[in-house]
PDB file of all heavy atoms in Angstrom:
ATOM      1  N   TYR Z   1      10.621 -10.188 -23.552  1.00  0.00           N
ATOM      2  CA  TYR Z   1       9.615  -9.185 -23.913  1.00  0.00           C
ATOM      3  C   TYR Z   1       8.271  -9.473 -23.241  1.00  0.00           C
ATOM      4  O   TYR Z   1       7.542  -8.535 -22.877  1.00  0.00           O
ATOM      5  CB  TYR Z   1       9.454  -9.114 -25.428  1.00  0.00           C
ATOM      6  CG  TYR Z   1      10.576  -8.377 -26.118  1.00  0.00           C
ATOM      7  CD1 TYR Z   1      11.294  -8.960 -27.155  1.00  0.00           C
ATOM      8  CD2 TYR Z   1      10.909  -7.082 -25.742  1.00  0.00           C
ATOM      9  CE1 TYR Z   1      12.314  -8.283 -27.798  1.00  0.00           C
ATOM     10  CE2 TYR Z   1      11.934  -6.384 -26.372  1.00  0.00           C
ATOM     11  CZ  TYR Z   1      12.640  -6.988 -27.406  1.00  0.00           C
ATOM     12  OH  TYR Z   1      13.666  -6.318 -28.032  1.00  0.00           O
ATOM     13  N   ILE Z   2       7.922 -10.732 -23.060  1.00  0.00           N
ATOM     14  CA  ILE Z   2       6.697 -11.068 -22.330  1.00  0.00           C
ATOM     15  C   ILE Z   2       6.795 -10.577 -20.888  1.00  0.00           C
ATOM     16  O   ILE Z   2       5.835 -10.031 -20.338  1.00  0.00           O
ATOM     17  CB  ILE Z   2       6.432 -12.586 -22.390  1.00  0.00           C
ATOM     18  CG1 ILE Z   2       5.952 -12.979 -23.784  1.00  0.00           C
ATOM     19  CG2 ILE Z   2       5.386 -13.010 -21.336  1.00  0.00           C
ATOM     20  CD1 ILE Z   2       5.813 -14.467 -24.016  1.00  0.00           C
ATOM     21  N   GLN Z   3       7.955 -10.732 -20.278  1.00  0.00           N
ATOM     22  CA  GLN Z   3       8.147 -10.252 -18.912  1.00  0.00           C
ATOM     23  C   GLN Z   3       7.955  -8.741 -18.816  1.00  0.00           C
ATOM     24  O   GLN Z   3       7.450  -8.236 -17.805  1.00  0.00           O
ATOM     25  CB  GLN Z   3       9.536 -10.645 -18.411  1.00  0.00           C
ATOM     26  CG  GLN Z   3       9.646 -12.084 -17.959  1.00  0.00           C
ATOM     27  CD  GLN Z   3       8.818 -12.353 -16.715  1.00  0.00           C
ATOM     28  OE1 GLN Z   3       9.066 -11.801 -15.650  1.00  0.00           O
ATOM     29  NE2 GLN Z   3       7.803 -13.211 -16.848  1.00  0.00           N
ATOM     30  N   GLU Z   4       8.314  -8.016 -19.852  1.00  0.00           N
ATOM     31  CA  GLU Z   4       8.126  -6.562 -19.855  1.00  0.00           C
ATOM     32  C   GLU Z   4       6.645  -6.184 -19.817  1.00  0.00           C
ATOM     33  O   GLU Z   4       6.297  -5.055 -19.449  1.00  0.00           O
ATOM     34  CB  GLU Z   4       8.788  -5.946 -21.089  1.00  0.00           C
ATOM     35  CG  GLU Z   4      10.314  -5.996 -21.038  1.00  0.00           C
ATOM     36  CD  GLU Z   4      10.950  -5.324 -22.246  1.00  0.00           C
ATOM     37  OE1 GLU Z   4      10.201  -4.814 -23.116  1.00  0.00           O
ATOM     38  OE2 GLU Z   4      12.193  -5.308 -22.314  1.00  0.00           O
ATOM     39  N   GLN Z   5       5.773  -7.120 -20.195  1.00  0.00           N
ATOM     40  CA  GLN Z   5       4.328  -6.870 -20.170  1.00  0.00           C
ATOM     41  C   GLN Z   5       3.709  -7.166 -18.801  1.00  0.00           C
ATOM     42  O   GLN Z   5       2.502  -6.997 -18.615  1.00  0.00           O
ATOM     43  CB  GLN Z   5       3.644  -7.732 -21.238  1.00  0.00           C
ATOM     44  CG  GLN Z   5       4.122  -7.472 -22.664  1.00  0.00           C
ATOM     45  CD  GLN Z   5       3.791  -6.073 -23.140  1.00  0.00           C
ATOM     46  OE1 GLN Z   5       2.672  -5.589 -22.933  1.00  0.00           O
ATOM     47  NE2 GLN Z   5       4.749  -5.415 -23.767  1.00  0.00           N
ATOM     48  N   ASN Z   6       4.527  -7.618 -17.853  1.00  0.00           N
ATOM     49  CA  ASN Z   6       4.093  -7.894 -16.471  1.00  0.00           C
ATOM     50  C   ASN Z   6       2.874  -8.825 -16.380  1.00  0.00           C
ATOM     51  O   ASN Z   6       1.848  -8.486 -15.779  1.00  0.00           O
ATOM     52  CB  ASN Z   6       3.780  -6.574 -15.737  1.00  0.00           C
ATOM     53  CG  ASN Z   6       4.996  -5.701 -15.592  1.00  0.00           C
ATOM     54  OD1 ASN Z   6       6.054  -6.157 -15.174  1.00  0.00           O
ATOM     55  ND2 ASN Z   6       4.864  -4.431 -15.954  1.00  0.00           N
ATOM     56  N   PRO Z   7       2.976 -10.013 -16.963  1.00  0.00           N
ATOM     57  CA  PRO Z   7       1.846 -10.951 -16.861  1.00  0.00           C
ATOM     58  C   PRO Z   7       1.676 -11.463 -15.435  1.00  0.00           C
ATOM     59  O   PRO Z   7       2.632 -11.479 -14.648  1.00  0.00           O
ATOM     60  CB  PRO Z   7       2.250 -12.084 -17.801  1.00  0.00           C
ATOM     61  CG  PRO Z   7       3.751 -12.068 -17.781  1.00  0.00           C
ATOM     62  CD  PRO Z   7       4.124 -10.603 -17.683  1.00  0.00           C
ATOM     63  N   LYS Z   8       0.473 -11.888 -15.111  1.00  0.00           N
ATOM     64  CA  LYS Z   8       0.219 -12.481 -13.802  1.00  0.00           C
ATOM     65  C   LYS Z   8       1.071 -13.732 -13.625  1.00  0.00           C
ATOM     66  O   LYS Z   8       1.694 -13.944 -12.569  1.00  0.00           O
ATOM     67  CB  LYS Z   8      -1.262 -12.822 -13.672  1.00  0.00           C
ATOM     68  CG  LYS Z   8      -1.624 -13.512 -12.351  1.00  0.00           C
ATOM     69  CD  LYS Z   8      -3.111 -13.865 -12.327  1.00  0.00           C
ATOM     70  CE  LYS Z   8      -3.468 -14.628 -11.059  1.00  0.00           C
ATOM     71  NZ  LYS Z   8      -4.906 -15.028 -11.068  1.00  0.00           N
ATOM     72  N   SER Z   9       1.072 -14.588 -14.640  1.00  0.00           N
ATOM     73  CA  SER Z   9       1.946 -15.760 -14.647  1.00  0.00           C
ATOM     74  C   SER Z   9       2.457 -15.974 -16.064  1.00  0.00           C
ATOM     75  O   SER Z   9       1.822 -15.557 -17.043  1.00  0.00           O
ATOM     76  CB  SER Z   9       1.217 -17.017 -14.156  1.00  0.00           C
ATOM     77  OG  SER Z   9       0.279 -17.464 -15.118  1.00  0.00           O
ATOM     78  N   HIS Z  10       3.604 -16.614 -16.160  1.00  0.00           N
ATOM     79  CA  HIS Z  10       4.273 -16.818 -17.447  1.00  0.00           C
ATOM     80  C   HIS Z  10       4.811 -18.253 -17.450  1.00  0.00           C
ATOM     81  O   HIS Z  10       5.857 -18.531 -16.866  1.00  0.00           O
ATOM     82  CB  HIS Z  10       5.402 -15.792 -17.598  1.00  0.00           C
ATOM     83  CG  HIS Z  10       6.153 -15.885 -18.888  1.00  0.00           C
ATOM     84  ND1 HIS Z  10       7.288 -15.116 -19.125  1.00  0.00           N
ATOM     85  CD2 HIS Z  10       5.971 -16.627 -20.000  1.00  0.00           C
ATOM     86  CE1 HIS Z  10       7.750 -15.400 -20.321  1.00  0.00           C
ATOM     87  NE2 HIS Z  10       6.971 -16.324 -20.872  1.00  0.00           N
ATOM     88  N   THR Z  11       4.063 -19.150 -18.055  1.00  0.00           N
ATOM     89  CA  THR Z  11       4.449 -20.558 -18.128  1.00  0.00           C
ATOM     90  C   THR Z  11       5.242 -20.791 -19.409  1.00  0.00           C
ATOM     91  O   THR Z  11       4.773 -20.454 -20.504  1.00  0.00           O
ATOM     92  CB  THR Z  11       3.202 -21.468 -18.110  1.00  0.00           C
ATOM     93  OG1 THR Z  11       2.493 -21.246 -16.895  1.00  0.00           O
ATOM     94  CG2 THR Z  11       3.603 -22.936 -18.216  1.00  0.00           C
ATOM     95  N   ILE Z  12       6.433 -21.376 -19.268  1.00  0.00           N
ATOM     96  CA  ILE Z  12       7.298 -21.644 -20.424  1.00  0.00           C
ATOM     97  C   ILE Z  12       7.561 -23.138 -20.493  1.00  0.00           C
ATOM     98  O   ILE Z  12       8.050 -23.731 -19.536  1.00  0.00           O
ATOM     99  CB  ILE Z  12       8.630 -20.880 -20.320  1.00  0.00           C
ATOM    100  CG1 ILE Z  12       8.387 -19.381 -20.123  1.00  0.00           C
ATOM    101  CG2 ILE Z  12       9.477 -21.129 -21.569  1.00  0.00           C
ATOM    102  CD1 ILE Z  12       9.640 -18.573 -19.867  1.00  0.00           C
ATOM    103  N   VAL Z  13       7.228 -23.735 -21.646  1.00  0.00           N
ATOM    104  CA  VAL Z  13       7.474 -25.154 -21.865  1.00  0.00           C
ATOM    105  C   VAL Z  13       8.673 -25.297 -22.795  1.00  0.00           C
ATOM    106  O   VAL Z  13       8.696 -24.697 -23.877  1.00  0.00           O
ATOM    107  CB  VAL Z  13       6.257 -25.860 -22.481  1.00  0.00           C
ATOM    108  CG1 VAL Z  13       6.493 -27.371 -22.530  1.00  0.00           C
ATOM    109  CG2 VAL Z  13       4.989 -25.543 -21.713  1.00  0.00           C
ATOM    110  N   GLU Z  14       9.643 -26.091 -22.372  1.00  0.00           N
ATOM    111  CA  GLU Z  14      10.859 -26.294 -23.178  1.00  0.00           C
ATOM    112  C   GLU Z  14      11.287 -27.755 -23.085  1.00  0.00           C
ATOM    113  O   GLU Z  14      11.229 -28.356 -22.015  1.00  0.00           O
ATOM    114  CB  GLU Z  14      11.986 -25.371 -22.704  1.00  0.00           C
ATOM    115  CG  GLU Z  14      13.306 -25.562 -23.411  1.00  0.00           C
ATOM    116  CD  GLU Z  14      13.213 -25.388 -24.911  1.00  0.00           C
ATOM    117  OE1 GLU Z  14      12.665 -24.352 -25.375  1.00  0.00           O
ATOM    118  OE2 GLU Z  14      13.673 -26.302 -25.633  1.00  0.00           O
ATOM    119  N   ILE Z  15      11.731 -28.306 -24.209  1.00  0.00           N
ATOM    120  CA  ILE Z  15      12.080 -29.722 -24.270  1.00  0.00           C
ATOM    121  C   ILE Z  15      13.579 -29.987 -24.343  1.00  0.00           C
ATOM    122  O   ILE Z  15      14.041 -31.049 -23.924  1.00  0.00           O
ATOM    123  CB  ILE Z  15      11.368 -30.394 -25.476  1.00  0.00           C
ATOM    124  CG1 ILE Z  15      11.425 -31.920 -25.355  1.00  0.00           C
ATOM    125  CG2 ILE Z  15      11.956 -29.899 -26.797  1.00  0.00           C
ATOM    126  CD1 ILE Z  15      10.549 -32.645 -26.361  1.00  0.00           C
ATOM    127  N   HIS Z  16      14.363 -29.047 -24.877  1.00  0.00           N
ATOM    128  CA  HIS Z  16      15.786 -29.333 -25.090  1.00  0.00           C
ATOM    129  C   HIS Z  16      16.586 -29.117 -23.801  1.00  0.00           C
ATOM    130  O   HIS Z  16      16.502 -28.055 -23.186  1.00  0.00           O
ATOM    131  CB  HIS Z  16      16.362 -28.451 -26.202  1.00  0.00           C
ATOM    132  CG  HIS Z  16      17.649 -28.980 -26.742  1.00  0.00           C
ATOM    133  ND1 HIS Z  16      18.829 -28.904 -26.043  1.00  0.00           N
ATOM    134  CD2 HIS Z  16      17.927 -29.641 -27.898  1.00  0.00           C
ATOM    135  CE1 HIS Z  16      19.795 -29.466 -26.751  1.00  0.00           C
ATOM    136  NE2 HIS Z  16      19.269 -29.934 -27.878  1.00  0.00           N
ATOM    137  N   PRO Z  17      17.384 -30.110 -23.392  1.00  0.00           N
ATOM    138  CA  PRO Z  17      18.092 -29.997 -22.103  1.00  0.00           C
ATOM    139  C   PRO Z  17      19.068 -28.826 -22.038  1.00  0.00           C
ATOM    140  O   PRO Z  17      19.194 -28.201 -20.966  1.00  0.00           O
ATOM    141  CB  PRO Z  17      18.826 -31.339 -21.973  1.00  0.00           C
ATOM    142  CG  PRO Z  17      18.847 -31.926 -23.347  1.00  0.00           C
ATOM    143  CD  PRO Z  17      17.607 -31.426 -24.030  1.00  0.00           C
ATOM    144  N   GLN Z  18      19.740 -28.494 -23.132  1.00  0.00           N
ATOM    145  CA  GLN Z  18      20.678 -27.368 -23.097  1.00  0.00           C
ATOM    146  C   GLN Z  18      19.942 -26.039 -22.970  1.00  0.00           C
ATOM    147  O   GLN Z  18      20.399 -25.134 -22.270  1.00  0.00           O
ATOM    148  CB  GLN Z  18      21.548 -27.365 -24.352  1.00  0.00           C
ATOM    149  CG  GLN Z  18      22.606 -28.446 -24.399  1.00  0.00           C
ATOM    150  CD  GLN Z  18      23.391 -28.377 -25.691  1.00  0.00           C
ATOM    151  OE1 GLN Z  18      23.078 -29.089 -26.641  1.00  0.00           O
ATOM    152  NE2 GLN Z  18      24.383 -27.510 -25.734  1.00  0.00           N
ATOM    153  N   VAL Z  19      18.816 -25.921 -23.646  1.00  0.00           N
ATOM    154  CA  VAL Z  19      18.024 -24.694 -23.537  1.00  0.00           C
ATOM    155  C   VAL Z  19      17.441 -24.573 -22.138  1.00  0.00           C
ATOM    156  O   VAL Z  19      17.381 -23.479 -21.564  1.00  0.00           O
ATOM    157  CB  VAL Z  19      16.921 -24.666 -24.611  1.00  0.00           C
ATOM    158  CG1 VAL Z  19      16.064 -23.406 -24.465  1.00  0.00           C
ATOM    159  CG2 VAL Z  19      17.511 -24.739 -26.008  1.00  0.00           C
ATOM    160  N   LEU Z  20      17.029 -25.700 -21.576  1.00  0.00           N
ATOM    161  CA  LEU Z  20      16.490 -25.689 -20.212  1.00  0.00           C
ATOM    162  C   LEU Z  20      17.512 -25.181 -19.203  1.00  0.00           C
ATOM    163  O   LEU Z  20      17.151 -24.467 -18.256  1.00  0.00           O
ATOM    164  CB  LEU Z  20      16.023 -27.088 -19.821  1.00  0.00           C
ATOM    165  CG  LEU Z  20      14.626 -27.486 -20.292  1.00  0.00           C
ATOM    166  CD1 LEU Z  20      14.413 -28.984 -20.177  1.00  0.00           C
ATOM    167  CD2 LEU Z  20      13.549 -26.721 -19.527  1.00  0.00           C
ATOM    168  N   GLU Z  21      18.779 -25.513 -19.382  1.00  0.00           N
ATOM    169  CA  GLU Z  21      19.815 -25.011 -18.475  1.00  0.00           C
ATOM    170  C   GLU Z  21      19.838 -23.495 -18.483  1.00  0.00           C
ATOM    171  O   GLU Z  21      19.930 -22.846 -17.430  1.00  0.00           O
ATOM    172  CB  GLU Z  21      21.183 -25.560 -18.888  1.00  0.00           C
ATOM    173  CG  GLU Z  21      21.374 -27.051 -18.643  1.00  0.00           C
ATOM    174  CD  GLU Z  21      22.718 -27.540 -19.139  1.00  0.00           C
ATOM    175  OE1 GLU Z  21      23.521 -26.710 -19.609  1.00  0.00           O
ATOM    176  OE2 GLU Z  21      22.963 -28.770 -19.056  1.00  0.00           O
ATOM    177  N   ARG Z  22      19.743 -22.894 -19.663  1.00  0.00           N
ATOM    178  CA  ARG Z  22      19.761 -21.442 -19.781  1.00  0.00           C
ATOM    179  C   ARG Z  22      18.452 -20.823 -19.289  1.00  0.00           C
ATOM    180  O   ARG Z  22      18.444 -19.743 -18.692  1.00  0.00           O
ATOM    181  CB  ARG Z  22      20.052 -21.054 -21.232  1.00  0.00           C
ATOM    182  CG  ARG Z  22      21.384 -21.640 -21.729  1.00  0.00           C
ATOM    183  CD  ARG Z  22      21.568 -21.463 -23.215  1.00  0.00           C
ATOM    184  NE  ARG Z  22      22.013 -20.118 -23.564  1.00  0.00           N
ATOM    185  CZ  ARG Z  22      23.279 -19.725 -23.653  1.00  0.00           C
ATOM    186  NH1 ARG Z  22      24.258 -20.585 -23.406  1.00  0.00           N
ATOM    187  NH2 ARG Z  22      23.591 -18.498 -23.982  1.00  0.00           N
ATOM    188  N   LEU Z  23      17.354 -21.521 -19.527  1.00  0.00           N
ATOM    189  CA  LEU Z  23      16.060 -21.058 -19.038  1.00  0.00           C
ATOM    190  C   LEU Z  23      16.034 -21.016 -17.515  1.00  0.00           C
ATOM    191  O   LEU Z  23      15.525 -20.056 -16.917  1.00  0.00           O
ATOM    192  CB  LEU Z  23      14.954 -21.971 -19.572  1.00  0.00           C
ATOM    193  CG  LEU Z  23      13.548 -21.813 -18.983  1.00  0.00           C
ATOM    194  CD1 LEU Z  23      13.051 -20.387 -19.075  1.00  0.00           C
ATOM    195  CD2 LEU Z  23      12.577 -22.764 -19.694  1.00  0.00           C
ATOM    196  N   ASP Z  24      16.591 -22.028 -16.859  1.00  0.00           N
ATOM    197  CA  ASP Z  24      16.614 -22.063 -15.395  1.00  0.00           C
ATOM    198  C   ASP Z  24      17.361 -20.855 -14.829  1.00  0.00           C
ATOM    199  O   ASP Z  24      16.936 -20.256 -13.834  1.00  0.00           O
ATOM    200  CB  ASP Z  24      17.275 -23.357 -14.909  1.00  0.00           C
ATOM    201  CG  ASP Z  24      16.390 -24.581 -15.105  1.00  0.00           C
ATOM    202  OD1 ASP Z  24      15.171 -24.423 -15.230  1.00  0.00           O
ATOM    203  OD2 ASP Z  24      16.936 -25.698 -15.147  1.00  0.00           O
ATOM    204  N   ILE Z  25      18.470 -20.505 -15.462  1.00  0.00           N
ATOM    205  CA  ILE Z  25      19.248 -19.338 -15.015  1.00  0.00           C
ATOM    206  C   ILE Z  25      18.446 -18.059 -15.227  1.00  0.00           C
ATOM    207  O   ILE Z  25      18.356 -17.197 -14.348  1.00  0.00           O
ATOM    208  CB  ILE Z  25      20.591 -19.287 -15.763  1.00  0.00           C
ATOM    209  CG1 ILE Z  25      21.461 -20.489 -15.380  1.00  0.00           C
ATOM    210  CG2 ILE Z  25      21.324 -17.979 -15.465  1.00  0.00           C
ATOM    211  CD1 ILE Z  25      22.701 -20.657 -16.237  1.00  0.00           C
ATOM    212  N   TRP Z  26      17.848 -17.928 -16.410  1.00  0.00           N
ATOM    213  CA  TRP Z  26      17.063 -16.735 -16.754  1.00  0.00           C
ATOM    214  C   TRP Z  26      15.890 -16.546 -15.791  1.00  0.00           C
ATOM    215  O   TRP Z  26      15.537 -15.418 -15.423  1.00  0.00           O
ATOM    216  CB  TRP Z  26      16.577 -16.885 -18.191  1.00  0.00           C
ATOM    217  CG  TRP Z  26      15.684 -15.801 -18.699  1.00  0.00           C
ATOM    218  CD1 TRP Z  26      16.056 -14.644 -19.317  1.00  0.00           C
ATOM    219  CD2 TRP Z  26      14.246 -15.781 -18.646  1.00  0.00           C
ATOM    220  NE1 TRP Z  26      14.949 -13.895 -19.645  1.00  0.00           N
ATOM    221  CE2 TRP Z  26      13.822 -14.576 -19.246  1.00  0.00           C
ATOM    222  CE3 TRP Z  26      13.284 -16.657 -18.160  1.00  0.00           C
ATOM    223  CZ2 TRP Z  26      12.478 -14.241 -19.372  1.00  0.00           C
ATOM    224  CZ3 TRP Z  26      11.943 -16.320 -18.269  1.00  0.00           C
ATOM    225  CH2 TRP Z  26      11.557 -15.122 -18.877  1.00  0.00           C
ATOM    226  N   ALA Z  27      15.261 -17.657 -15.375  1.00  0.00           N
ATOM    227  CA  ALA Z  27      14.030 -17.585 -14.583  1.00  0.00           C
ATOM    228  C   ALA Z  27      14.256 -17.382 -13.084  1.00  0.00           C
ATOM    229  O   ALA Z  27      13.291 -17.130 -12.356  1.00  0.00           O
ATOM    230  CB  ALA Z  27      13.209 -18.865 -14.801  1.00  0.00           C
ATOM    231  N   LYS Z  28      15.497 -17.461 -12.626  1.00  0.00           N
ATOM    232  CA  LYS Z  28      15.777 -17.441 -11.180  1.00  0.00           C
ATOM    233  C   LYS Z  28      15.190 -16.242 -10.461  1.00  0.00           C
ATOM    234  O   LYS Z  28      14.702 -16.359  -9.333  1.00  0.00           O
ATOM    235  CB  LYS Z  28      17.292 -17.503 -10.945  1.00  0.00           C
ATOM    236  CG  LYS Z  28      17.852 -18.908 -10.901  1.00  0.00           C
ATOM    237  CD  LYS Z  28      19.322 -18.905 -10.545  1.00  0.00           C
ATOM    238  CE  LYS Z  28      19.874 -20.332 -10.438  1.00  0.00           C
ATOM    239  NZ  LYS Z  28      21.316 -20.345 -10.101  1.00  0.00           N
ATOM    240  N   ASP Z  29      15.238 -15.071 -11.056  1.00  0.00           N
ATOM    241  CA  ASP Z  29      14.780 -13.859 -10.381  1.00  0.00           C
ATOM    242  C   ASP Z  29      13.407 -13.409 -10.873  1.00  0.00           C
ATOM    243  O   ASP Z  29      13.049 -12.238 -10.753  1.00  0.00           O
ATOM    244  CB  ASP Z  29      15.804 -12.732 -10.579  1.00  0.00           C
ATOM    245  CG  ASP Z  29      16.003 -12.359 -12.045  1.00  0.00           C
ATOM    246  OD1 ASP Z  29      15.546 -13.126 -12.928  1.00  0.00           O
ATOM    247  OD2 ASP Z  29      16.616 -11.304 -12.315  1.00  0.00           O
ATOM    248  N   LYS Z  30      12.636 -14.359 -11.439  1.00  0.00           N
ATOM    249  CA  LYS Z  30      11.321 -14.018 -11.995  1.00  0.00           C
ATOM    250  C   LYS Z  30      10.257 -14.898 -11.328  1.00  0.00           C
ATOM    251  O   LYS Z  30       9.943 -15.983 -11.833  1.00  0.00           O
ATOM    252  CB  LYS Z  30      11.345 -14.186 -13.510  1.00  0.00           C
ATOM    253  CG  LYS Z  30      12.388 -13.297 -14.199  1.00  0.00           C
ATOM    254  CD  LYS Z  30      12.530 -13.615 -15.670  1.00  0.00           C
ATOM    255  CE  LYS Z  30      13.565 -12.701 -16.311  1.00  0.00           C
ATOM    256  NZ  LYS Z  30      14.928 -12.925 -15.779  1.00  0.00           N
ATOM    257  N   PRO Z  31       9.675 -14.454 -10.244  1.00  0.00           N
ATOM    258  CA  PRO Z  31       8.751 -15.301  -9.478  1.00  0.00           C
ATOM    259  C   PRO Z  31       7.463 -15.667 -10.203  1.00  0.00           C
ATOM    260  O   PRO Z  31       6.778 -16.610  -9.798  1.00  0.00           O
ATOM    261  CB  PRO Z  31       8.464 -14.462  -8.223  1.00  0.00           C
ATOM    262  CG  PRO Z  31       8.788 -13.063  -8.608  1.00  0.00           C
ATOM    263  CD  PRO Z  31       9.909 -13.148  -9.591  1.00  0.00           C
ATOM    264  N   ASN Z  32       7.108 -14.952 -11.246  1.00  0.00           N
ATOM    265  CA  ASN Z  32       5.873 -15.273 -11.973  1.00  0.00           C
ATOM    266  C   ASN Z  32       6.101 -16.300 -13.088  1.00  0.00           C
ATOM    267  O   ASN Z  32       5.157 -16.662 -13.800  1.00  0.00           O
ATOM    268  CB  ASN Z  32       5.229 -14.012 -12.559  1.00  0.00           C
ATOM    269  CG  ASN Z  32       6.089 -13.344 -13.627  1.00  0.00           C
ATOM    270  OD1 ASN Z  32       7.305 -13.558 -13.676  1.00  0.00           O
ATOM    271  ND2 ASN Z  32       5.470 -12.536 -14.462  1.00  0.00           N
ATOM    272  N   VAL Z  33       7.347 -16.776 -13.240  1.00  0.00           N
ATOM    273  CA  VAL Z  33       7.665 -17.741 -14.303  1.00  0.00           C
ATOM    274  C   VAL Z  33       7.524 -19.168 -13.783  1.00  0.00           C
ATOM    275  O   VAL Z  33       8.033 -19.507 -12.709  1.00  0.00           O
ATOM    276  CB  VAL Z  33       9.086 -17.511 -14.857  1.00  0.00           C
ATOM    277  CG1 VAL Z  33       9.504 -18.664 -15.776  1.00  0.00           C
ATOM    278  CG2 VAL Z  33       9.144 -16.188 -15.615  1.00  0.00           C
ATOM    279  N   ILE Z  34       6.831 -19.977 -14.552  1.00  0.00           N
ATOM    280  CA  ILE Z  34       6.672 -21.407 -14.266  1.00  0.00           C
ATOM    281  C   ILE Z  34       7.332 -22.172 -15.401  1.00  0.00           C
ATOM    282  O   ILE Z  34       6.913 -22.057 -16.562  1.00  0.00           O
ATOM    283  CB  ILE Z  34       5.185 -21.794 -14.162  1.00  0.00           C
ATOM    284  CG1 ILE Z  34       4.493 -20.981 -13.067  1.00  0.00           C
ATOM    285  CG2 ILE Z  34       5.033 -23.295 -13.910  1.00  0.00           C
ATOM    286  CD1 ILE Z  34       2.981 -21.030 -13.145  1.00  0.00           C
ATOM    287  N   VAL Z  35       8.367 -22.937 -15.098  1.00  0.00           N
ATOM    288  CA  VAL Z  35       9.075 -23.705 -16.114  1.00  0.00           C
ATOM    289  C   VAL Z  35       8.507 -25.119 -16.164  1.00  0.00           C
ATOM    290  O   VAL Z  35       8.439 -25.810 -15.145  1.00  0.00           O
ATOM    291  CB  VAL Z  35      10.594 -23.754 -15.825  1.00  0.00           C
ATOM    292  CG1 VAL Z  35      11.312 -24.646 -16.837  1.00  0.00           C
ATOM    293  CG2 VAL Z  35      11.185 -22.342 -15.837  1.00  0.00           C
ATOM    294  N   VAL Z  36       8.101 -25.529 -17.364  1.00  0.00           N
ATOM    295  CA  VAL Z  36       7.598 -26.888 -17.582  1.00  0.00           C
ATOM    296  C   VAL Z  36       8.602 -27.592 -18.487  1.00  0.00           C
ATOM    297  O   VAL Z  36       8.852 -27.153 -19.612  1.00  0.00           O
ATOM    298  CB  VAL Z  36       6.201 -26.885 -18.223  1.00  0.00           C
ATOM    299  CG1 VAL Z  36       5.730 -28.311 -18.487  1.00  0.00           C
ATOM    300  CG2 VAL Z  36       5.212 -26.147 -17.324  1.00  0.00           C
ATOM    301  N   ARG Z  37       9.153 -28.691 -17.990  1.00  0.00           N
ATOM    302  CA  ARG Z  37      10.237 -29.380 -18.680  1.00  0.00           C
ATOM    303  C   ARG Z  37       9.698 -30.565 -19.473  1.00  0.00           C
ATOM    304  O   ARG Z  37       9.055 -31.441 -18.915  1.00  0.00           O
ATOM    305  CB  ARG Z  37      11.271 -29.856 -17.662  1.00  0.00           C
ATOM    306  CG  ARG Z  37      11.599 -28.809 -16.619  1.00  0.00           C
ATOM    307  CD  ARG Z  37      12.435 -29.370 -15.487  1.00  0.00           C
ATOM    308  NE  ARG Z  37      13.822 -29.416 -15.829  1.00  0.00           N
ATOM    309  CZ  ARG Z  37      14.651 -28.381 -15.739  1.00  0.00           C
ATOM    310  NH1 ARG Z  37      14.194 -27.215 -15.289  1.00  0.00           N
ATOM    311  NH2 ARG Z  37      15.901 -28.485 -16.087  1.00  0.00           N
ATOM    312  N   GLY Z  38       9.963 -30.567 -20.785  1.00  0.00           N
ATOM    313  CA  GLY Z  38       9.564 -31.699 -21.595  1.00  0.00           C
ATOM    314  C   GLY Z  38       8.690 -31.324 -22.778  1.00  0.00           C
ATOM    315  O   GLY Z  38       8.611 -30.162 -23.184  1.00  0.00           O
ATOM    316  N   ASP Z  39       8.024 -32.322 -23.327  1.00  0.00           N
ATOM    317  CA  ASP Z  39       7.180 -32.197 -24.506  1.00  0.00           C
ATOM    318  C   ASP Z  39       5.845 -31.556 -24.119  1.00  0.00           C
ATOM    319  O   ASP Z  39       5.102 -32.094 -23.297  1.00  0.00           O
ATOM    320  CB  ASP Z  39       6.967 -33.597 -25.092  1.00  0.00           C
ATOM    321  CG  ASP Z  39       6.176 -33.594 -26.377  1.00  0.00           C
ATOM    322  OD1 ASP Z  39       5.114 -32.952 -26.438  1.00  0.00           O
ATOM    323  OD2 ASP Z  39       6.620 -34.252 -27.338  1.00  0.00           O
ATOM    324  N   TRP Z  40       5.511 -30.425 -24.713  1.00  0.00           N
ATOM    325  CA  TRP Z  40       4.284 -29.706 -24.339  1.00  0.00           C
ATOM    326  C   TRP Z  40       3.051 -30.576 -24.551  1.00  0.00           C
ATOM    327  O   TRP Z  40       2.109 -30.519 -23.743  1.00  0.00           O
ATOM    328  CB  TRP Z  40       4.142 -28.412 -25.143  1.00  0.00           C
ATOM    329  CG  TRP Z  40       3.672 -28.624 -26.555  1.00  0.00           C
ATOM    330  CD1 TRP Z  40       4.455 -28.775 -27.664  1.00  0.00           C
ATOM    331  CD2 TRP Z  40       2.316 -28.760 -27.002  1.00  0.00           C
ATOM    332  NE1 TRP Z  40       3.679 -28.992 -28.772  1.00  0.00           N
ATOM    333  CE2 TRP Z  40       2.355 -28.984 -28.393  1.00  0.00           C
ATOM    334  CE3 TRP Z  40       1.078 -28.711 -26.369  1.00  0.00           C
ATOM    335  CZ2 TRP Z  40       1.217 -29.168 -29.166  1.00  0.00           C
ATOM    336  CZ3 TRP Z  40      -0.075 -28.896 -27.131  1.00  0.00           C
ATOM    337  CH2 TRP Z  40      -0.009 -29.114 -28.515  1.00  0.00           C
TER     338      TRP Z  40
END
């Protein structure tokens, strides 16, 4: 839903390794997404 708002950049912080696997797939075609891995 955040992507539907067309933000300039969208930084997502995630700590769980299994969720990160799914996040990496989701973010592949979204150039404005910045994935930060680990404890925020």
